[in-house]
Amino acid sequence: MSVALSAVVGTLLGALVGAIFGVVMALPQTGFFGWFFFPFFRAERHLGALSRQTLIPIPGLKKALVHRLEADWDDGVDSLNQLIAYSLQFYCAIKAINVALARSRPRSLLTRVSRLAQAPFDWQLLRYGTADIGNALRAQLVQGLVLVPRRWRAAWQARYPSSPRLDTPARSACAGFWSWHTKDATMAADAFRQVRDLPFGSELSDIADALEQGGTADTLDGLDDWHTRTAWLEALPTERLRPGTLTALTLLRRATAEVHKAQTTRAPLNRQTALARAGALLQELIEHGAETCEQPEWPLVHAMAEGWRDLVVTAGGKAGDEVERQRADNPYSGYAGLPVHPPVFIGRSGAIGEIRRHWANAEDPPVIVLYGHRRMGKTSILRNLAQSLPKGAVLVYLDAQGILADDSGQFLLDIAEAIHTRASHASLDPGPLPSSTDYDTLGHASRQLKKLLARLAPQMTESRRLILAFDEFEVIQDRINDGHIDAKVLGFLRSLNQAHRWLALIFGGLHTMDEMGNDYRSAFYAQTEHVRVSYLSRADAMHLVTQPHPDFALEYDDALCDELYRLTYGQPFLLQRLCWAMVERWNDRFERERGAIPRVLTLDDLAPILDDDLFAATAYYFEGVWSNVSPAEQMLMTVLAGHESPWHQDELEASQADLDGELTPTLRSLRHHDVITEDDEGRLMYASELLRRWVERRQAVHGQVPNLCPTE
């Protein structure tokens, strides 16, 4: 019996030993065979990290690696990566990393782990910086015992846990970067919370939380919530551990800011536009984020951006469907000839640039005259001037048509009250409100206004400037001619301008100083600079037409754009009047046809509005141009309006032979008043075709063309 039992036991033991030896010899992927027989040869990369280990480490290697890492971490990490790339000393390298990290001071720990995670040769370096490599080897050996029942192997493997450990700062840091590499954002967030109190710990923890929360945001509300949770991105420290990742997250936050706008707006067009901007930002990140965002965060960021982009594109499409079912807002606020503000205040950077250059660092700032015919945009420039000048400029806008002073004292009182109001709004101290009893005569008023400016003078630092802007300044001359205002007030204003370098004067009107009376010329002529306000350039005109507002919901086809410019030559009032009328007409059609019309304006939309109503609505503009030229110019305008095609000058001279030398100066004056221009062949034509048609219509009412040189 004992012999039989011994035979059975011997057989089983022999089988078990043979099985183990066979497994070891048959499973080179475990690296076990290499531990004993090939300690100095590199294994194939596809065998994994464990195939580069050996139980016979090079003597003193671990100590040398630790010393190299502690002496110069960057150099040590480079050496370590080369070692595991060209040898089987992975186990020794892991031990050295763990020792060096355990000895690291708190202030340098996260910087070191971050450097280790910078393109390592093998990410297992980070894995076994937090997991037990010995347990991992034992578990792998047990897994190779294929003759042992699976249930037994599972029970044995459970004794050797190799999951990330968070029991020390070094292991937590390694666990965080390893989890990012394996795209486990939740584990990374848990790991980095353990080191939040270390230098750069809050940065890593906040990044990890953002990646975890962003990865689960799959609705617009979720993106809006993520925007709220990442407010910390608005106040980043100067010194950063992961600057590329923070830049990517900041771009994501800009996208969610647009999503927030989309969630809070009621207008479908605004929602669609905001979502489109969000999608563009996300696409930019998808295409270029890899250039700056660090590994291993980039795959998580990339996945977030792609998921969010698909989300906002889908939502934007739904918002677009809503837009298609709504009327178009009409943003052409200048259609009635009133002053405009951004975004329809377009194309006046040239004029404003001239004003800035004249006033820049001028010890004796010149008086500016802003001139051009009616509805060219002079008032809009004056009203928007403060926003276009350096910070600290205080604009005092005075419409001369609204100054109804009966005498010079009241006129200066109006100026003083306007200065007091604007200075108070600018947080200056102008003193008590001006009283009418102190401005009862020109002498009293001038003294009080000097006192007001003297009180402001100490408060006007180098960056500040007080601008007195007189619009429709010809009206002041009319009041002087009527005897209501003493002409001396003009010289007094100039004396104030000379006494205070921070006080600037600008006049807006139809005329230059040469064309004004002696009162203006004697007061200001020698110190005056002129800035002409003329037609918009074609580019600026098309910007005004096609992009009057960022959320404008209609398109213009190219042929219509060409015709609008031909009709107006970029005259801003006429452009806005035409566009306003077309949008109103389109909205009427939209209501009648219940939205079943294209959202593109064409020449067919323009033709019906070129009617009597248009010329009646714009008559004030045309009459202003007409009244601003001489009788001789009016006569020549009537001749030129005779046919639509341009004139050769010799044709015009032949048809008006009795001019006797009057033609050339008259044409020069019409050019000066922006009435006529020349085409590419040098032929004469109306700048604005609509002006030509108005003159033609006027002549049809008033009769035959008058003689340019009537007999006495």
Side-chain angles (χ1 to χ4, degrees):
M1 183 66 177
S2 59
V3 175
L5 180 60
S6 298
V8 171
V9 171
T11 301
L12 289 175
L13 288 175
L16 179 60
V17 171
I20 293 173
F21 184 77
V23 168
V24 171
M25 298 299 293
L27 297 175
Q29 70 272 16
T30 66
F32 192 84
F33 185 75
W35 298 345
F36 291 100
F37 297 98
F38 299 98
F40 304 109
F41 294 91
R42 179 183 175 189
E44 294 298 324
R45 289 187 62 181
H46 71 272
L47 297 180
L50 296 181
S51 66
R52 292 192 297 276
Q53 300 174 70
T54 176
L55 293 179
I56 309 177
I58 299 174
L61 178 60
K62 185 183 80 171
K63 183 177 180 180
L65 290 174
V66 171
H67 178 74
R68 177 70 64 86
L69 288 166
E70 291 180 336
D72 186 325
W73 185 263
D74 288 342
D75 182 60
V77 169
D78 289 339
S79 299
L80 188 144
N81 277 316
Q82 293 182 36
L83 177 70
I84 62 174
Y86 296 102
S87 77
L88 302 175
Q89 298 296 310
F90 184 80
Y91 184 86
C92 192
I94 285 291
K95 288 298 185 181
I97 283 288
N98 289 339
V99 170
L101 288 177
R103 294 179 182 176
S104 297
R105 296 179 179 179
R107 66 171 179 268
S108 62
L109 176 61
L110 296 183
T111 304
R112 289 185 167 189
V113 179
S114 177
R115 173 64 180 84
L116 184 64
Q118 183 179 325
F121 178 80
D122 196 322
W123 277 95
Q124 302 291 332
L125 285 173
L126 277 300
R127 175 186 178 185
Y128 292 119
T130 179
D132 189 325
I133 189 173
N135 282 352
L137 292 172
R138 297 183 187 95
Q140 185 173 353
L141 177 60
V142 170
Q143 181 65 26
L145 301 177
V146 294
L147 298 183
V148 176
R150 183 176 300 174
R151 181 167 56 85
W152 290 10
R153 280 183 286 159
W156 293 350
Q157 284 180 308
R159 299 178 183 177
Y160 309 115
S162 57
S163 57
R165 296 171 294 178
L166 309 180
D167 52 345
T168 69
R171 290 171 178 170
S172 297
C174 290
F177 283 101
W178 168 252
S179 299
W180 275 343
H181 173 68
T182 59
K183 301 181 180 60
D184 188 346
T186 300
M187 181 63 196
D190 291 340
F192 283 125
R193 288 189 194 106
Q194 307 303 314
V195 295
R196 188 173 182 86
D197 294 334
L198 296 182
F200 299 112
S202 59
E203 175 187 323
L204 289 172
S205 182
D206 287 340
I207 291 174
D209 287 340
L211 293 177
E212 179 190 20
Q213 296 157 6
T216 58
D218 55 2
T219 65
L220 293 184
D221 287 336
L223 269 59
D224 196 4
D225 180 64
W226 188 89
H227 179 77
T228 302
R229 290 171 178 264
T230 54
W232 54 272
L233 285 167
E234 298 296 325
L236 294 173
T238 303
E239 190 176 3
R240 306 166 192 175
L241 185 63
R242 313 292 287 179
T245 302
L246 291 172
T247 298
L249 291 177
T250 300
L251 192 57
L252 286 173
R253 180 169 168 78
R254 287 175 55 195
T256 55
E258 296 296 339
V259 171
H260 177 74
K261 292 178 185 177
Q263 291 292 87
T264 55
T265 186
R266 294 182 179 180
L269 179 60
N270 293 342
R271 181 159 56 253
Q272 181 193 30
T273 304
L275 291 171
R277 290 193 294 263
L281 290 169
L282 292 169
Q283 187 61 36
E284 176 186 348
L285 179 60
I286 291 168
E287 293 177 359
H288 304 292
E291 300 169 7
T292 55
C293 186
E294 288 91 357
Q295 297 285 351
E297 302 98 295
W298 170 240
L300 291 170
V301 172
H302 185 265
M304 283 173 57
E306 285 193 324
W308 291 6
R309 178 201 57 192
D310 296 342
L311 184 63
V312 300
V313 166
T314 301
K318 294 179 180 178
D321 292 339
E322 293 183 56
V323 172
E324 294 291 328
R325 296 192 295 270
Q326 288 202 341
R327 289 166 52 92
D329 289 336
N330 200 333
Y332 298 102
S333 57
Y335 77 95
L338 299 176
V340 297
H341 301 276
V344 290
F345 179 62
I346 293 170
R348 294 310 183 191
S349 58
I352 291 175
E354 281 191 64
I355 295 171
R356 293 185 62 155
R357 287 192 293 273
H358 288 314
W359 282 344
N361 302 318
E363 299 212 357
D364 186 14
V367 174
I368 304 293
V369 174
L370 196 67
Y371 73 98
H373 63 65
R374 296 189 187 280
R375 299 291 185 261
M376 273 296 187
K378 300 182 298 296
T379 300
S380 296
I381 292 174
L382 292 177
R383 286 190 173 275
N384 288 278
L385 194 56
Q387 290 76 29
S388 304
L389 294 176
K391 186 177 181 181
V394 180
L395 176 66
V396 181
Y397 174 82
L398 296 131
D399 185 354
Q401 290 183 329
I403 299 178
L404 303 177
D406 292 328
D407 55 50
S408 301
Q410 289 185 7
F411 175 68
L412 294 183
L413 175 61
D414 288 338
I415 296 175
E417 288 176 340
I419 292 174
H420 189 281
T421 300
R422 295 308 306 163
S424 298
H425 288 170
S427 300
L428 298 173
D429 179 16
L433 188 67
S435 170
S436 59
T437 57
D438 295 329
Y439 287 77
D440 55 346
T441 67
L442 177 58
H444 291 164
S446 61
R447 283 193 294 271
Q448 291 300 319
L449 187 52
K450 284 181 179 179
K451 288 181 181 180
L452 173 58
L453 296 179
R455 185 182 183 93
L456 291 174
Q459 306 171 58
M460 303 303 291
T461 60
E462 291 185 3
S463 61
R464 282 196 175 275
R465 173 159 283 171
L466 185 71
I467 302 167
L468 290 182
F470 294 91
D471 202 2
E472 306 287 354
F473 75 99
E474 293 92 346
V475 175
I476 301 175
Q477 182 67 58
D478 294 339
R479 303 293 285 174
I480 292 174
N481 295 339
D482 293 342
H484 290 93
I485 298 177
D486 193 323
K488 294 178 182 178
V489 298
L490 299 178
F492 173 66
L493 289 175
R494 179 54 181 160
S495 70
L496 295 178
N497 173 240
Q498 292 174 327
H500 303 288
R501 294 178 180 176
W502 44 266
L503 179 63
L505 299 179
I506 182 168
F507 295 92
L510 301 175
H511 302 90
T512 66
M513 206 60 75
D514 290 328
E515 298 168 328
M516 292 300 296
N518 290 330
D519 297 323
Y520 269 101
R521 287 201 297 269
S522 61
F524 300 111
Y525 187 77
Q527 296 87 21
T528 301
E529 295 290 346
H530 291 84
V531 176
R532 185 183 184 189
V533 181
S534 186
Y535 298 99
L536 295 174
S537 68
R538 180 181 176 84
D540 288 332
M542 291 304 98
H543 186 184
L544 174 60
V545 168
T546 61
Q547 303 174 57
H549 190 276
D551 297 328
F552 185 55
L554 296 178
E555 297 288 338
Y556 289 78
D557 75 5
D558 292 342
L560 176 57
C561 290
D562 292 340
E563 182 64 7
L564 286 172
Y565 191 74
R566 188 185 76 85
L567 289 172
T568 66
Y569 202 60
Q571 208 290 330
F573 164 63
L574 295 178
L575 269 177
Q576 294 201 68
R577 186 73 206 187
L578 292 175
C579 293
W580 177 85
M582 284 191 292
V583 172
E584 288 298 298
R585 183 176 179 277
W586 185 92
N587 278 329
D588 290 342
R589 289 179 55 213
F590 182 88
E591 295 291 344
R592 291 195 307 270
E593 302 178 28
R594 298 183 179 182
I597 59 174
R599 301 186 77 87
V600 179
L601 297 174
T602 68
L603 289 172
D604 293 337
D605 297 291
L606 176 63
I609 68 170
L610 298 176
D611 55 10
D612 292 342
D613 290 339
L614 173 70
F615 285 99
T618 54
Y620 177 77
Y621 163 74
F622 292 123
E623 290 286 358
V625 176
W626 182 260
S627 63
N628 195 40
V629 299
S630 68
E633 293 171 68
Q634 291 176 355
M635 295 175 192
L636 188 54
M637 287 174 63
T638 305
V639 172
L640 291 171
H643 54 82
E644 185 175 345
S645 59
W647 291 71
H648 286 289
Q649 186 159 338
D650 55 356
E651 294 176 338
L652 189 60
E653 291 172 349
S655 67
Q656 303 295 325
D658 55 347
L659 284 177
D660 192 23
E662 294 290 329
L663 180 61
T664 298
T666 305
L667 289 174
R668 184 185 308 115
S669 183
L670 287 176
R671 289 190 185 94
H672 173 73
H673 287 108
D674 285 325
V675 173
I676 64 171
T677 185
E678 296 179 357
D679 66 8
D680 294 338
E681 299 178 14
R683 296 177 299 177
L684 299 170
M685 58 184 290
Y686 269 82
S688 165
E689 168 62 14
L690 284 181
L691 177 58
R692 187 199 67 80
R693 294 185 186 184
W694 179 86
V695 174
E696 186 180 40
R697 292 164 71 96
R698 185 182 186 281
Q699 181 58 28
V701 173
H702 291 281
Q704 65 180 2
V705 178
N707 192 330
L708 290 175
C709 295
T711 59
E712 297 183 358

